[in-house]
Amino acid sequence: MLKKLSLYLKYNQKRYLLIKMNQKIFEKKDVRKLYLDENGNVDYTKIQARWDELKKVKVSLGNKHFTQEVVEKAKKLDQQDQQRLLDIMIAGLTNDDSSVGIAATRPQDYDFYSFYLEPLIREYHKIEGQTKQEHDWDIPVGEYVLTKIDPKLEKVSMRARVARNVDGYNLPSSMDKDERIKFENQMVGVFESFGFPGKYHSLTPGHKNFISDQEAQVLRDKHFLFISMTHDNYLMSNGVASDWPYGRGIWLSQDETKMVWVGEEDQLRIISIVQGNDLGKVDQSLHELLTGIERSGLKFAEHSTYGIITTCPTNMGTGKRQSILGKFPNITKNGKDEARLKEIAKTLGLQARGVGGEHSNMDSEGTADISPSARFGVTEAIVTKRLFEGLIKLYEYEKNAANEKDRQNCCNTF
């Protein structure tokens, strides 16, 4: 397997095609062997050669900040810590379309490997000078109301989530099967006693709450449960998807407005979904759920500067993502020009994704998941405020695009 993989990589390097998600999926245990010497030690010459090849396609932040100074500092570490550094950057080495290409393996990585990770994090989050992440959940109900933007936005799918990892565990990229199952079982105990009516659905074979593939698909069709991670080359190569489906599942509230993912990119994704038009009500629901979990005695991993610790450094800070599903048929030309909406959203400090979130497509009505891009240096309350203010401008673009189309149609000659 390793020989075939090595030949495959070398062949694609020469053609500058490398490894793409939709071409072939590689597991972390196989890919990382390509960057070891005959004694099983980290080989920085092989790593640098790979980064150099990738620069001909796209330069990720992991690549950009892998300097000679980083190499010299890394070589002074014991071999076990050097191996961990390889694991941190392995997804970036594997995927030629990586923008960041980094996944932490444990909470303390952000301090232990600060000589590599700090400049990368500061660049991504645009951090200047000394700063510290602050938190603020004082988000008013009745202020950020979508019908103020457009009366038609009466019943909108609104979602907010926070990523969390628990002290005392490795992060998902380096958890083994036993640790994943142990964590899941601990969370089942939390769900059974934290005061919200609901049920845990496990994907772990043999678990007391195990659900069949058919039952899992019902939850996916409702956009509640995450899909199999074994089809994602990022999550497979960095180890997050290892041991699938053990230790994975979802707690779902009785009214299906609150849910907790267990064992995805972060140990917990705590989510609230509300059909309506008041963004503040989503936050209210989410904060109730988050507080209930915290009361159970779990201690979340947090960094003194960066705030909430997440597997991917892009989510550090609040760990919060808040979004709505909105229709933008005019900007997207009925879903045929997703890039235009994404470009406009970016100028407004927003992200536009497909109906199913990241790596999914928009539909023929131009339905997109719209969220603020900032995670660090903003509070939870500011995330909500920025979403509302960005939507005001984005729907103005949509209105202008409709007027532009009408002007074009009136001048058509046949």
Side-chain angles (χ1 to χ4, degrees), residues 85-319:
L85 178 60
L86 172 60
D87 288 340
I88 288 172
M89 67 179 86
I90 195 66
L93 291 165
T94 306
N95 298 279
D96 67 325
D97 55 352
S98 290
S99 295
V100 179
I102 295 298
T105 68
R106 55 184 181 171
Q108 54 266 46
D109 283 352
Y110 290 107
D111 284 328
F112 192 85
Y113 300 102
S114 61
F115 61 88
Y116 176 47
L117 297 177
E118 182 178 351
L120 182 154
I121 292 170
R122 293 182 75 88
E123 178 172 344
Y124 179 85
H125 289 289
K126 299 179 175 62
I127 302 172
E128 297 181 0
Q130 299 299 312
T131 187
K132 182 179 179 180
Q133 177 64 42
E134 302 291 343
H135 299 284
D136 177 15
W137 282 94
D138 185 13
I139 304 166
V141 171
E143 182 169 341
Y144 304 121
V145 179
L146 299 178
T147 50
K148 292 180 181 179
I149 300 175
D150 187 333
K152 295 178 182 177
L153 300 176
E154 181 67 34
K155 191 173 183 180
V156 177
S157 178
M158 306 178 295
R159 178 178 297 210
R161 63 91 167 145
V162 289
R164 292 291 188 271
N165 292 284
V166 177
D167 263 353
Y169 288 93
N170 288 307
L171 294 177
S173 61
S174 62
M175 295 175 84
D176 61 21
K177 182 179 175 181
D178 289 341
E179 189 176 18
R180 295 183 197 279
I181 293 174
K182 177 183 176 182
F183 179 77
E184 180 184 34
N185 289 335
Q186 180 178 357
M187 289 309 304
V188 170
V190 171
F191 298 141
E192 290 175 345
S193 61
F194 76 151
F196 293 95
K199 183 179 180 182
Y200 182 68
H201 308 268
S202 177
L203 302 180
T204 301
H207 194 280
K208 67 177 183 178
N209 298 101
F210 177 72
I211 58 173
S212 66
D213 290 343
Q214 292 76 15
E215 291 171 307
Q217 191 56 48
V218 171
L219 294 175
R220 292 187 179 112
D221 290 342
K222 291 182 177 181
H223 301 292
F224 292 162
L225 179 62
F226 49 95
I227 63 174
S228 169
M229 295 188 287
T230 59
H231 303 297
D232 188 318
N233 209 24
Y234 289 95
L235 302 182
M236 284 294 288
S237 59
N238 68 17
V240 167
S242 297
D243 310 305
W244 177 269
Y246 289 89
R248 276 76 173 202
I250 178 175
W251 175 86
L252 183 62
S253 67
Q254 201 169 72
D255 62 2
E256 298 187 340
T257 64
K258 295 178 174 71
M259 59 201 71
V260 181
W261 289 356
V262 176
E264 211 241 12
E265 183 176 60
D266 292 293
Q267 291 162 1
L268 300 174
R269 291 286 173 94
I270 303 164
I271 305 164
S272 174
I273 299 178
V274 175
Q275 297 288 330
N277 54 68
D278 190 338
L279 295 178
K281 290 186 177 180
V282 188
D283 286 299
Q284 184 181 62
S285 173
L286 176 62
H287 194 233
E288 286 175 355
L289 181 57
L290 177 61
T291 302
I293 295 174
E294 289 177 319
R295 279 199 305 263
S296 71
L298 286 185
K299 183 182 178 184
F300 295 130
E302 192 160 355
H303 192 275
S304 58
T305 299
Y306 304 134
I308 298 302
I309 286 179
T310 54
T311 302
C312 179
T314 63
N315 288 318
M316 299 265 275
T318 61

Side-chain angles (χ1 to χ4, degrees), residues 10-47:
K10 290 177 181 177
Y11 172 72
N12 279 287
Q13 285 172 349
K14 291 178 181 178
R15 297 180 58 197
Y16 309 131
L17 293 178
L18 311 175
I19 307 171
K20 291 185 180 293
M21 285 176 55
N22 61 353
Q23 289 179 329
K24 193 170 181 64
I25 303 296
F26 295 122
E27 292 187 54
K28 176 180 178 179
K29 64 182 178 63
D30 294 321
V31 179
R32 68 185 317 282
K33 293 176 183 177
L34 298 173
Y35 306 103
L36 304 178
D37 63 21
E38 63 275 9
N39 297 316
N41 296 326
V42 176
D43 191 323
Y44 293 97
T45 301
K46 292 179 180 179
I47 292 174

